[in-house]
Amino acid sequence: MLSGMNIFTMEPMVPEEAAHGLEDCAVTLIAEANRLAGRIHPILQESVGTLVRSMNCYYSNLIEGHDTHPRDIDRALADDFSVEPRKRELQQEAVAHIHVQRLIDEGRDPDIWPATADYAAWLHREFCTRLPPEMLWVGNPDTGERLPVIPGEWRDRQVIVGRHMPPDPDDLPRFLDRFDRAYAAPPLSRLRQIQTVGAVHHRFLWVHPFIDGNGRVARLMSHALLKRLGIGASLWSVARGLAREEARYKNLLMQADGPREGDRDGRGNLTQRGLMAFCQFFLDSAIDQVRYMGELLDPETLLRRIEIHVEDEVRAKTLPKGSYMVLREAALAGEVERGRVPMLTGYEERAARKVTSALLDRGMLTSTSHRASLRLGFPADVAERWFPRLYPAGIGRPT
């Protein structure tokens, strides 16, 4: 029995301060994130955020073993759900995830520090209350018993995660209190907090407070924490990096569960070396994703990809001539007034309206009403052309 487990079994909580590699990575991440945010028009950032939330959802689902095609996510966001029960459930799961991340991105999450038990409970509750009832059950692999998943509630029974046995349910309040005290904003500096985001991610999973949904909550918590630290944004997601190296991600998580290995491996019960290795991997993944999105969103190269794609569509007679100039204006200016479309295309008003309608029908432009300005849209069926390698090869193409 682990009831009464000493909370020091979770130590160390933060990577040691002498880790110059982590400090260098944190400084690099700040610089790269600032550079990315500074090169994208604020209005365009909102449109890109919609795409990135869908992408983040896709990759987070993939880590959980739920492969939801980006086109199915797009359909679900448009209230077009499959009649096939399992596919529909996965679509509903995707909508729930995107809803929670949108609240974070738009600053509508609770005004509490993300690396806390209370924030984790909010994430879990906000996500799970939007799931279909069929997904709020988890099976016990040993007994076959079906256990209910109660939104926002800590688990009430012991679990085993791989080779790791998390704290007993009765001990969760003490361990979560230690989690809160270790990662509360003061006394750590901003630079140290950035170095510690990976540790927050791991130690939350080590405690494993929910009967199900801990991985998703940990990734959403990391997203929120990076945003509060002033480097995270709707323009990029670390989840893509974690999913693209899923085996390494899970292996390093498992290694960080291990016990201290000798006098040179820190002073806590758990391995300091393993914790630092995971923190390094986490920051490296974040830097890689910021740089990747920076390359994709470089205005000149993005416009060239859009132009090549639209030229192909015009030749195939699936888009009217003049479409590219409207999309180009939306990319550069953030949005296009409808009255400018005739001038941009060189068409009379009626023909210009056909261009607008065609781009709206394809989702390449979006608008909140039939009179509102036009903004770029990024539907799944163009993502592969405009954003190469955003998804695994071929996944963004029509099925």
Side-chain angles (χ1 to χ4, degrees):
M1 288 289 294
L2 290 181
S3 183
M5 180 192 287
N6 192 314
I7 60 171
F8 293 108
T9 56
M10 188 166 56
E11 301 291 336
M13 299 299 289
V14 297
E16 60 188 24
E17 290 194 62
H20 294 298
L22 292 182
E23 183 174 329
D24 291 345
C25 280
V27 171
T28 299
L29 180 56
I30 292 170
E32 296 286 351
N34 287 342
R35 185 177 299 114
L36 173 61
R39 72 193 307 179
I40 308 300
H41 193 288
I43 295 176
L44 183 57
Q45 286 189 28
E46 295 180 24
S47 298
V48 174
T50 300
L51 171 68
V52 170
R53 281 189 287 273
S54 290
M55 178 197 72
N56 189 24
C57 167
Y58 168 80
Y59 280 109
S60 201
N61 284 357
L62 207 59
I63 292 171
E64 299 298 324
H66 300 170
D67 191 353
T68 313
H69 197 285
R71 287 174 61 85
D72 289 327
I73 296 175
D74 274 6
R75 292 181 182 118
L77 292 172
D79 290 325
D80 180 12
F81 291 92
S82 173
V83 296
E84 195 275 307
R86 181 54 180 167
K87 181 179 285 190
R88 181 183 179 88
E89 288 176 9
L90 293 178
Q91 286 179 304
Q92 291 172 301
E93 178 186 56
V95 170
H97 180 113
I98 290 169
H99 164 79
V100 178
Q101 188 172 331
R102 183 182 291 110
L103 293 180
I104 295 169
D105 288 344
E106 295 176 355
R108 294 189 288 134
D109 52 339
D111 188 21
I112 52 179
W113 192 243
T116 58
D118 284 348
Y119 194 90
W122 173 79
L123 286 170
H124 192 266
R125 182 168 54 251
E126 196 70 28
F127 172 70
C128 289
T129 52
R130 284 165 173 75
L131 293 180
E134 296 79 12
M135 298 191 80
L136 291 175
W137 295 89
V138 62
N140 185 322
D142 298 322
T143 66
E145 180 185 11
R146 294 183 75 224
L147 307 173
V149 178
I150 302 174
E153 296 292 324
W154 311 132
R155 57 182 166 83
D156 61 359
R157 61 189 65 214
Q158 185 57 275
V159 294
I160 298 177
V161 185
R163 297 197 297 263
H164 170 55
M165 183 173 288
D168 185 89
D170 292 340
D171 292 330
L172 285 176
R174 293 189 300 112
F175 277 88
L176 291 170
D177 178 68
R178 175 62 186 134
F179 181 89
D180 286 358
R181 288 186 288 110
Y183 301 125
L188 295 178
S189 68
R190 177 175 179 246
L191 196 61
R192 286 285 287 148
Q193 287 176 321
I194 294 169
Q195 295 173 57
T196 303
V197 174
V200 173
H201 190 92
H202 177 271
R203 291 316 194 235
F204 178 82
L205 292 174
W206 189 91
V207 176
H208 202 86
F210 302 112
I211 194 71
D212 191 47
N214 294 278
R216 188 183 302 275
V217 168
R219 289 185 291 277
L220 285 167
M221 178 186 286
S222 296
H223 181 80
L225 185 54
L226 288 167
K227 184 174 183 294
R228 293 286 185 93
L229 288 169
I231 52 176
S234 59
L235 292 174
W236 63 278
S237 165
V238 73
R240 180 178 179 275
L242 303 180
R244 284 170 62 85
E245 293 195 71
E246 182 180 353
R248 189 175 174 213
Y249 167 54
K250 292 182 175 179
N251 184 54
L252 286 171
L253 280 172
M254 184 174 62
Q255 288 183 32
D257 289 340
R260 177 186 179 210
E261 298 176 355
D263 293 341
R264 297 185 178 182
D265 193 17
R267 298 181 179 181
N269 177 63
L270 300 179
T271 169
Q272 174 74 253
R273 190 179 298 117
L275 181 63
M276 290 174 63
F278 182 76
C279 290
Q280 183 75 55
F281 166 74
F282 194 95
L283 288 177
D284 285 343
S285 297
I287 292 168
D288 178 68
Q289 292 310 300
V290 173
R291 287 174 172 167
Y292 166 70
M293 290 304 295
E295 293 172 4
L296 287 186
L297 293 171
D298 174 72
E300 184 177 343
T301 54
L302 173 59
L303 287 173
R304 183 57 183 154
R305 287 193 300 268
I306 294 175
E307 183 178 19
I308 292 170
H309 179 222
V310 171
E311 286 175 352
D312 289 344
E313 296 277 353
V314 170
R315 280 194 294 270
K317 300 187 184 308
T318 51
L319 279 179
K321 292 180 180 179
S323 295
Y324 170 68
M325 295 308 296
V326 182
L327 296 174
R328 181 180 184 277
E329 181 74 3
L332 293 176
E335 60 185 6
V336 183
E337 295 293 334
R338 290 173 185 258
R340 283 180 52 77
V341 175
M343 185 272 292
L344 292 168
T345 59
Y347 294 155
E348 296 294 333
E349 187 173 338
R350 184 174 181 182
R353 281 201 301 268
K354 290 183 178 179
V355 175
T356 300
S357 295
L359 292 171
L360 287 168
D361 289 345
R362 290 290 300 275
M364 296 178 182
L365 289 178
T366 65
S367 183
T368 56
S369 74
H370 70 282
R371 291 186 177 181
S373 298
L374 307 165
R375 297 185 178 187
L376 273 188
F378 304 102
D381 62 355
V382 304
E384 183 70 15
R385 296 292 302 271
W386 294 7
F387 299 99
R389 300 179 292 112
L390 189 71
Y391 295 107
I395 195 68
R397 297 171 187 149
T399 55

